[in-house]
Amino acid sequence: MSIDPAADLPFFYGSISRVKAEDYLKLGGMSDGLFLLRQCLRSLGGYVLSIVWNLEFHHYSIEKQLNGTYCLIGGKPHCGPAELCEFYSKDRDGLVCLLKKPCLRPSDTQIELGVFDSLKDNMLREYVKQTWNLEGEAMEQAIISQAPQLEKLIATTAHEKLPWYHGKIARHESERRLYCGAQPDGKFLVRDREESGTFALSMLYGKTVYHYQILQDKSGKYFMPEGTKFDTVWQLVEYLKMKPDGLMTILREACLNGKAVEKTPSLPATRRAGANGYTPPPRAVAGASTPVDTVPAERDILPMDCSGFNPYHNPNEVKKFNIQRSQLLMDEVELGSGNFGCVKKGVLKTQDSGQIDVAIKVLKSENEKLVKEEMMREAEIMYQLDNPFIVRILGLCNAENLMLVMEMASAGPLNKFLSANKDTVSVENIVNMMHQVSMGMKYLEGKNFVHRDLAARNVLLVNLQFAKISDFGLSKALGADNNYYKARTAGKWPLKWYAPECINFHKFSSKSDVWSFGVTMWEAFSYGGKPYKKMKGPEVIRFIDAGNRMDCPAACPERMYDLMKECWTYKHEERPDFNKVEESMRLYHYSVSGKAKPEGAAAAAEPVK
Ligand code: AMP
């Protein structure tokens, strides 16, 4: 699931031993400066750079710092392993020689997975399941979209969920628990030390309990005296299961804390605060009528933190085609309007899920049959879709007016939100949201639907971290053997978002949605800017036909502009599909999330023994 930042590098081998690395370098010819990169077992998240010089091997540790940067011990920080290697190919800065020639991984050799890779994925899943009560597809989607943030989160709190963690218990109580039942060597537990806020490891060996203090250095890394340092307690424990690192023996059997698996969603104990279990939100989301109120102050909000109804959940249990009028409370507040009528804020009363905030599209009563049919068609399309990044329909209510009841996305349309919050929304934030839009569109493409009106105005925000595609008024389901929809006549079309084949031949496909996605990206990265400035539709068509494309918005990263331009490939056959677009968005999202800019410099690097 999580992607190693070095996964793209052709000279990265994953978790291979020193001996194996040397074998590959021998096969590679042993020229001076021949190098490869491998995962480091001793420092998690770190790497080892193996280099040949003078027919000898040199191995350098690369550490991942807490701020997300990478550096050789004593060397300059770099924002990723690729950037680090590029730097040392131009500047020796203490290395035995420049990195001259990458020792490429043979085409039939996969990157070797490390023991922590799969462990981390399992922990992440368990955490999401327990904390937000998510399962199945909803869990998968949440994890794909939030992997970098979640990894950071579990890294610091995961031990609280593990069976060997006993919290704050006294030393004699830890002994009592370890002596209870069988007493094999290596039976262990971890506890908070009473006075100091640090941890202790208590372990049985030869029927005697030994206590070790888990030390922490200035940068917060955990270690046993003289031992290897780790970012988290659980990583240290996993390591000590493989190597004793100064202990009497390796850790073998967890002394269980006896806690049943939590059934209700909750955050780990140390993250709770206040009588109601939660601290107030770190900030209210501008434009949101129901600010997120369940987020601990010390971390960023995640989409799953939405109060009340969790939009990651599959709402099938509340989805009914006919909603009774008595189940709906309608607010006077108007969220928006269109030629069909208006969208109002409301509450849906359900039996199982309590009261849910909803948006209600109300058809104006004087509207004629045609508009009513259009709204029914939109409802029908929405009814067939079920994805966290697409606004879900909860049902229709036919009362004083025809009403379409939807999940609420209270922070409103993306373009308005961004232009009102230019100073507070970061580029990484926009990347995250646009990645979610690409996930929703990939789902739509997979279901053989075309949206036909993808634009920033039709991407609605639940909060700063959670975007959903809306407005299926123009959408079409394609037949099983059709990959495009042909419109008989041109309508009131959003030409600036349309691909050439839509305008010239009235042909709409997922590939033409990809073009619109490019324009939506442009709107997002220009913080709600208007595409093609003051140009009118026909001028835009001439502009595109002449081979021109919009310029890169000021704040837009180069890789995102490159993707936009790919989306604006003139011929739809050569344009990427959403599978490809989502992958590009995801890789970029993972590479920038939670990463600090490199700062400062340090002394020359030292080889490790
Ligand atoms: P539409 O005609 O579907 O584009 O809706 C018109 C406007 O109503 C949108 O631009 C939004 O401001 C608002 N709106 C529509 N659906 C929702 C929703 N599910 N949650 C919040 N606001 C919505």
Side-chain angles (χ1 to χ4, degrees):
M1 158 57 39
S2 55
I3 294 181
D4 191 297
D8 278 345
L9 303 176
F11 51 88
F12 177 61
Y13 287 70
S15 178
I16 59 166
S17 66
R18 173 179 291 218
V19 176
K20 220 163 165 189
E22 293 178 354
D23 285 345
Y24 280 120
L25 291 169
K26 278 182 208 156
L27 277 175
M30 294 296 283
S31 57
D32 283 347
L34 182 71
F35 70 98
L36 62 77
L37 190 70
R38 56 192 169 97
Q39 212 176 58
C40 180
L41 233 197
R42 291 154 23 97
S43 122
L44 290 165
Y47 301 95
V48 176
L49 191 57
S50 301
I51 315 173
V52 176
W53 172 247
N54 249 342
L55 298 178
E56 281 186 2
F57 303 107
H58 300 261
H59 303 273
Y60 295 86
S61 270
I62 298 170
E63 284 223 353
K64 185 175 179 188
Q65 311 290 107
L66 280 182
N67 67 3
T69 60
Y70 296 82
C71 53
L72 269 83
I73 295 167
K76 290 189 175 94
H78 300 273
C79 53
E83 289 82 354
L84 182 141
C85 292
E86 198 188 340
F87 172 83
Y88 285 103
S89 69
K90 293 180 193 134
D91 189 340
R92 236 186 79 207
D93 199 22
L95 282 193
V96 65
C97 64
L98 283 181
L99 304 183
K100 284 207 183 110
K101 187 179 164 207
C103 177
L104 301 180
R105 212 172 59 241
S107 53
D108 56 348
T109 306
Q110 299 285 334
I111 292 175
E112 196 95 25
L113 281 185
V115 58
F116 295 108
D117 292 328
S118 50
L119 199 74
K120 194 166 66 181
D121 280 354
N122 287 343
M123 297 216 45
L124 206 134
R125 262 154 225 287
E126 202 44 43
Y127 189 88
V128 171
K129 198 166 153 185
Q130 286 193 31
T131 307
W132 291 284
N133 210 12
L134 291 178
E135 277 187 278
E137 194 48 31
M139 174 168 82
E140 299 304 327
Q141 298 274 313
I143 291 175
I144 294 173
S145 124
Q146 301 301 314
Q149 293 90 331
L150 286 169
E151 277 182 19
K152 226 163 108 183
L153 190 58
I154 61 154
T156 49
T157 61
H159 62 274
E160 295 171 13
K161 298 265 180 195
L162 291 166
W164 42 255
Y165 175 68
H166 288 238
K168 202 167 192 165
I169 56 167
R171 168 190 273 247
H172 63 83
E173 173 59 13
S174 72
E175 291 178 0
R176 191 189 68 74
R177 292 186 186 188
L178 283 162
Y179 287 131
C180 245
Q183 297 175 7
D185 287 348
K187 183 175 174 185
F188 74 99
L189 60 82
V190 171
R191 56 186 168 84
D192 291 355
R193 288 179 76 229
E194 280 165 295
E195 63 298 338
S196 63
T198 56
F199 298 100
L201 172 71
S202 304
M203 182 180 82
L204 260 173
Y205 183 73
K207 311 275 182 215
T208 306
V209 173
Y210 293 82
H211 300 276
Y212 301 88
Q213 186 184 348
I214 296 177
L215 302 170
Q216 228 180 336
D217 71 7
K218 270 190 254 151
S219 67
K221 287 186 188 274
Y222 298 97
F223 61 104
M224 304 311 293
E226 315 277 311
T228 311
K229 295 184 176 182
F230 295 91
D231 290 339
T232 65
V233 175
W234 68 270
Q235 288 166 325
L236 170 66
V237 165
E238 288 306 319
Y239 185 74
L240 294 174
K241 285 182 186 172
M242 295 185 292
K243 297 202 173 163
D245 225 13
L247 305 186
M248 306 295 285
T249 179
I250 55 167
L251 304 182
R252 288 210 170 82
E253 185 181 305
C255 173
L256 304 180
N257 58 21
K259 273 191 206 148
V261 175
E262 291 169 62
K263 287 209 177 62
T264 47
S266 69
L267 290 162
T270 53
R271 298 197 157 258
R272 292 189 200 113
N276 62 0
Y278 293 110
T279 45
R283 57 184 174 272
V285 177
S289 49
T290 46
V292 181
D293 59 1
T294 54
V295 184
E298 69 270 34
R299 73 162 169 84
D300 287 341
I301 44 167
L302 289 175
M304 303 75 107
D305 295 316
C306 295
S307 57
F309 181 62
N310 182 338
Y312 261 100
H313 284 157
N314 184 335
N316 278 337
E317 74 257 30
V318 295
K319 196 156 138 182
K320 290 199 177 60
F321 211 77
N322 285 314
I323 290 176
Q324 301 297 315
R325 183 62 182 89
S326 56
Q327 281 179 273
L328 269 184
L329 295 175
M330 201 147 49
D331 213 292
E332 279 315 302
V333 179
E334 256 190 38
L335 297 166
S337 61
N339 52 1
F340 56 86
C342 62
V343 178
K344 288 197 169 179
K345 190 170 181 276
V347 170
L348 173 69
K349 292 184 274 180
T350 69
Q351 270 187 341
D352 303 327
S353 304
Q355 301 209 340
I356 299 171
D357 281 343
V358 289
I360 309 170
K361 203 174 234 192
V362 186
L363 192 73
K364 267 192 229 145
S365 43
E366 68 268 23
N367 256 330
E368 77 278 18
K369 204 168 141 234
L370 221 62
V371 186
K372 191 169 180 172
E373 278 171 12
E374 260 172 44
M375 194 154 141
M376 290 300 282
R377 267 202 300 274
E378 182 176 1
E380 226 166 87
I381 298 258
M382 290 178 86
Y383 222 77
Q384 297 170 65
L385 306 174
D386 174 18
N387 182 276
F389 308 112
I390 291 178
V391 170
R392 289 175 169 121
I393 186 172
L394 302 175
L396 278 172
C397 175
N398 204 351
E400 66 271 24
N401 304 79
L402 181 64
M403 293 179 264
L404 191 156
V405 182
M406 298 170 278
E407 282 178 334
M408 168 69 119
S410 55
L414 180 65
N415 56 339
K416 283 193 191 158
F417 183 88
L418 290 177
S419 62
N421 294 282
K422 284 194 173 92
D423 299 333
T424 46
V425 182
S426 67
V427 168
E428 287 78 17
N429 230 172
I430 298 177
V431 173
N432 180 18
M433 293 191 282
M434 285 311 297
H435 172 235
Q436 295 175 354
V437 175
S438 73
M439 285 179 73
M441 291 307 295
K442 177 174 154 176
Y443 168 84
L444 213 60
E445 178 181 79
K447 296 272 289 183
N448 233 9
F449 281 89
V450 282
H451 188 285
R452 298 181 68 220
D453 200 4
L454 180 59
R457 64 181 172 278
N458 288 329
V459 172
L460 301 182
L461 300 186
V462 177
N463 61 37
L464 191 57
Q465 308 286 339
F466 201 170
K468 283 172 180 270
I469 301 159
S470 79
D471 201 344
F472 290 82
L474 284 174
S475 304
K476 299 283 171 202
L478 301 175
D481 12 87
N482 251 353
N483 61 3
Y484 67 88
Y485 161 78
K486 177 116 174 42
R488 263 177 289 151
T489 50
K492 238 179 103 188
W493 285 350
L495 293 181
K496 289 185 176 178
W497 283 262
Y498 273 5
E501 70 273 14
C502 308
I503 298 161
N504 297 334
F505 308 111
H506 298 184
K507 275 170 92 167
F508 294 86
S509 63
S510 295
K511 292 288 191 78
S512 52
D513 279 346
V514 166
W515 181 288
S516 313
F517 180 83
V519 183
T520 309
M521 275 180 90
W522 187 93
E523 294 179 272
F525 286 106
S526 55
Y527 285 84
K530 298 225 179 321
Y532 303 101
K533 293 205 183 98
K534 291 195 180 100
M535 280 190 225
K536 294 264 180 301
E539 277 175 85
V540 173
I541 297 168
R542 279 196 296 277
F543 179 78
I544 296 292
D545 280 347
N548 303 308
R549 297 295 182 265
M550 280 190 281
D551 289 336
C552 182
C556 180
E558 214 174 295
R559 263 172 71 181
M560 291 289 91
Y561 184 55
D562 288 344
L563 180 60
M564 256 179 238
K565 284 188 293 185
E566 273 190 67
C567 294
W568 299 331
T569 304
Y570 196 90
K571 292 185 179 169
H572 61 87
E573 309 91 303
E574 289 164 17
R575 214 174 288 152
D577 59 11
F578 275 112
N579 246 322
K580 176 80 196 24
V581 170
E582 189 275 329
E583 189 191 21
S584 304
M585 285 299 315
R586 175 165 25 101
L587 290 176
Y588 189 65
H589 166 44
Y590 287 8
S591 77
V592 293
S593 278
K595 198 172 270 182
K597 302 274 172 292
E599 53 186 2
E606 290 166 16
V608 287
K609 295 279 161 268

